[in-house]
Amino acid sequence: MLLTGAMRARIPTSKFALPRERKYPIEDPSHARNAIARAAQQLNAGNLSQAQHDEIVSKARRKLVGGALAGR
């Protein structure tokens, strides 16, 4: 689902992979998968540091694993 500006503003800061910047929302599995893909693109383009990329991927994977386990 595409996030509008108003929808994005309602997402708690804790639901972003980079909360200080409010970037890479990971509030659901779909957005977590997207965050991983976008982080890889931005790392390859030189717009993210390796540390930022690793933080995004780690948080997104935890969201994906947590979501999978919650359904059991």
Side-chain angles (χ1 to χ4, degrees):
M1 172 171 74
L2 180 64
L3 291 177
T4 64
M7 292 167 64
R8 186 181 178 92
R10 286 193 301 265
I11 298 172
T13 301
S14 63
K15 300 277 185 171
F16 286 85
L18 294 179
R20 291 174 301 282
E21 301 172 43
R22 290 186 60 87
K23 289 185 176 179
Y24 300 94
I26 55 170
E27 76 276 11
D28 57 40
S30 174
H31 282 91
R33 285 188 296 274
N34 188 273
I36 292 170
R38 298 304 147 249
Q41 287 178 336
Q42 293 303 309
L43 178 66
N44 290 335
N47 297 325
L48 274 181
S49 69
Q50 186 66 51
Q52 288 174 311
H53 173 269
D54 294 346
E55 181 179 358
I56 293 165
V57 170
S58 175
K59 288 181 179 181
R61 284 185 177 158
R62 280 194 304 255
K63 177 67 176 184
L64 292 171
V65 170
L69 295 177
R72 291 183 179 191

